[in-house]
Amino acid sequence: MNILVVNCGSSSIKYQFIEAESRTTMAKGLVDRIGMSGAVLTNTRYDSDTIKLTGDILDHGMAIEYVLAVLLSKNHGVIKDKSEIHAVGHRVVHGAEDFAGSVLITEQVLQSLRDNIELAPLHNPHNIRGIVACRQHLPTIPQVGVFDTAFHQSMEPRAFLYGIPYIFYQKYKIRRYGFHGTSHFFVSSRMAEVLDTPIESLRIVTCHLGNGCSMAAVKHGQSMDTSMGFTPLEGLLMGTRSGDLDPQLILYIMGKEGLTLSEATTLLNKHSGLIGISGESSDMREIENAMEKGNPKARIAFDIFCYRVRKYIGGYAAAMGGVDAVVFTGGIGENSVRVREAVSTGLEFMGIDFDPALNAEGPKERIITRPDSRVTVGVIPTNEELVIALDTMNIVNGGLPPTMKNMVKNRALEAL
Ligand code: ADP
């Protein structure tokens, strides 16, 4: 079954055209600068044939039209007719408590997404735009929504409720939701395959370290806890986001500096994290380069970053009553030898026998602990698009999507 996987941002659309049974990506690309001058579509076919088109792409509808035109193109395309697209799978950032799994998109589902816009004002409106555009251009083709939050709906109230008056959970749905769910699902499932052990008997800590960073405690295939919270701001230090902090300090800074709500939001989301501390860059490669040149602020930004990941590994091991495996993924997790080393050395006390040589080089997917290590640490490249394609195929076929195999009933507390 051929699935078009679509991930819509505010001014960009990432897409992949995947033959789901064979897990083959036939084409992938990016439409960038939608609604701005000089929009660009870059498409790469399975045989590395790459084309770049520039022009005025005014909105998401037009962008989808361009994507379809490229997929159908005689010289650069992969299909001859639209009917060869059998379904569309959409990445949707926020499913709130309404969606504990992937879902066929109906009018009612679209309405629920619109109702949840307040919870993800930066993401859901664009995701909805992408869905509407695909329904317009592919009206007879089923569309499926796969949510970043769904995998974490298995968390228990003790993990998802905050220590604020309960009324705010009821009134405004304030709770931990967690994000990067498809990635945490994918890499934990893959780690179980690598270990040749059923995921139902494993306790895995997953570290998704990219521009946005989050970790999850995946116990027996279910997310038990995760570091991002009500929004993707909580938890680890990130490229431009602060992660965990004392909530009182932001009120203090707002008072001192006379900041508005929106200025404070920008401060925490765009000017904090690696860039805020180092003053250099939000990009880990550049932080490492600056560190090498002796930049002390880059060094401390790097140290804080790694220290937090380490603390969460310990915390999640305690939460799960032990740990069998740790997985690194995302741009930093997959590529930064230094970050993995700084996080993983000196953890012999908890059964991690880290091997610097295996960490330094090897295939993209590999184990970086010694063979006798009680806890296995691995690097596993994430593949969120494949998760979306497989879930979409299974929903369209009326089966149980892979992400929902270990799903428990949504643990929302509305009844209290
Ligand atoms: P996103 O969260 O936007 O998907 P990615 O998962 O691509 O981002 O991760 C981007 C991060 O990965 C950046 O901080 C980048 O510097 C980092 N990164 C990529 N390659 C390397 C590398 N070789 N060494 C260190 N960091 C890297």
Side-chain angles (χ1 to χ4, degrees):
M1 183 181 279
N2 296 332
I3 314 283
L4 176 61
V5 175
V6 173
N7 178 358
C8 279
S10 59
S11 61
S12 70
I13 297 182
K14 280 191 207 152
Y15 64 91
Q16 282 200 21
F17 191 62
I18 298 178
E19 205 292 296
E21 282 97 347
S22 63
R23 303 180 169 210
T24 309
T25 298
M26 292 155 74
K28 62 177 164 187
L30 169 72
V31 190
D32 212 1
R33 299 183 59 83
I34 298 170
M36 302 177 214
S37 66
V40 189
L41 185 158
T42 313
N43 183 79
T44 304
R45 203 165 52 182
Y46 59 87
D47 58 359
S48 304
D49 172 81
T50 300
I51 51 156
K52 218 173 198 179
L53 303 172
T54 48
D56 287 332
I57 301 180
L58 302 181
D59 55 28
H60 288 70
M62 215 166 154
I64 291 293
E65 219 175 300
Y66 274 68
V67 170
L68 294 176
V70 169
L71 294 176
L72 284 158
S73 135
K74 206 165 162 222
N75 294 327
H76 305 283
V78 286
I79 50 173
K80 291 199 176 70
D81 192 89
K82 271 188 193 176
S83 63
E84 290 171 58
I85 302 173
H86 302 127
V88 183
H90 294 270
R91 177 200 180 202
V92 182
V93 169
H94 215 308
E97 288 184 336
D98 298 336
F99 302 104
S102 307
V103 67
L104 189 69
I105 293 171
T106 58
E107 266 316 312
Q108 199 188 348
V109 168
L110 255 178
Q111 192 48 49
S112 298
L113 298 183
R114 290 191 181 106
D115 293 343
N116 289 328
I117 279 181
E118 257 200 322
L119 291 175
L122 300 179
H123 294 102
N124 275 22
H126 315 301
N127 300 155
I128 293 170
R129 252 174 236 139
I131 293 169
V132 170
C134 287
R135 276 158 68 101
Q136 188 190 335
H137 292 288
L138 302 164
T140 58
I141 291 170
Q143 321 258 336
V144 169
V146 179
F147 300 91
D148 273 26
T149 49
F151 182 57
H152 302 300
Q153 280 294 303
S154 51
M155 282 186 294
E156 290 183 15
R158 64 181 177 174
F160 75 66
L161 278 184
Y162 290 106
I164 55 173
Y166 189 75
I167 186 77
F168 295 118
Y169 170 57
Q170 293 172 307
K171 244 174 131 174
Y172 304 123
K173 303 182 185 174
I174 292 177
R175 51 160 287 177
R176 177 184 311 285
Y177 289 102
F179 300 87
H180 293 141
T182 46
S183 179
H184 291 295
F185 164 78
F186 178 82
V187 297
S188 56
S189 309
R190 179 69 199 137
M191 186 49 135
E193 283 173 13
V194 169
L195 293 173
D196 198 18
T197 308
I199 197 161
E200 292 77 8
S201 62
L202 289 172
R203 296 155 301 182
I204 305 176
V205 177
T206 47
C207 314
H208 179 109
L209 312 177
N211 283 314
C213 301
S214 73
M215 289 176 58
V218 183
K219 188 175 184 184
H220 305 160
Q222 293 171 7
S223 173
M224 181 183 172
D225 204 347
T226 190
S227 60
M228 282 180 170
F230 177 59
T231 72
L233 180 60
E234 194 181 346
L236 302 173
L237 193 81
M238 308 180 213
T240 63
R241 292 175 231 165
S242 65
D244 293 336
L245 41 75
D246 176 350
Q248 190 68 39
L249 74 79
I250 189 59
L251 306 176
Y252 187 81
I253 296 174
M254 285 173 81
K256 286 276 184 200
E257 301 273 326
L259 300 186
T260 63
L261 273 179
S262 114
E263 285 165 341
T265 304
T266 306
L267 172 71
L268 296 176
N269 284 281
K270 305 265 186 224
H271 301 304
S272 298
L274 294 175
I275 180 83
I277 293 162
S278 70
E280 269 305 305
S281 174
S282 63
D283 187 296
M284 185 54 90
R285 270 167 301 202
E286 290 178 23
I287 292 290
E288 290 186 13
N289 288 340
M291 220 164 73
E292 245 168 49
K293 290 184 191 133
N295 181 324
K297 285 191 184 148
R299 171 90 240 174
I300 190 70
F302 177 89
D303 287 348
I304 298 170
F305 183 94
C306 299
Y307 179 67
R308 282 208 187 170
V309 176
R310 214 174 147 90
K311 276 209 298 193
Y312 269 97
I313 291 176
Y316 286 165
M320 293 191 289
V323 57
D324 303 297
V326 176
V327 184
F328 287 98
T329 194
I332 299 173
E334 290 167 30
N335 298 300
S336 176
V337 173
R338 273 207 192 91
V339 166
R340 290 193 304 258
E341 178 154 355
V343 170
S344 315
T345 43
L347 294 181
E348 291 79 12
F349 80 93
M350 60 185 290
I352 293 180
D353 189 3
F354 180 74
D355 186 330
L358 291 175
N359 181 47
E361 58 186 338
K364 277 184 174 226
E365 179 184 285
R366 66 188 188 277
I367 302 300
I368 57 173
T369 37
R370 297 200 170 89
D372 289 340
S373 183
R374 193 157 50 76
V375 177
T376 305
V377 180
V379 182
I380 296 184
T382 196
N383 195 342
E384 291 159 286
E385 291 79 10
L386 180 64
V387 174
I388 295 173
L390 294 178
D391 263 29
T392 301
M393 173 172 75
N394 280 279
I395 293 230
V396 170
N397 285 338
L400 187 65
T403 57
M404 290 158 84
K405 197 166 83 82
N406 283 299
M407 205 181 90
V408 284
K409 216 171 141 313
N410 184 338
R411 289 188 159 121
L413 275 171
E414 269 143 324
L416 275 191

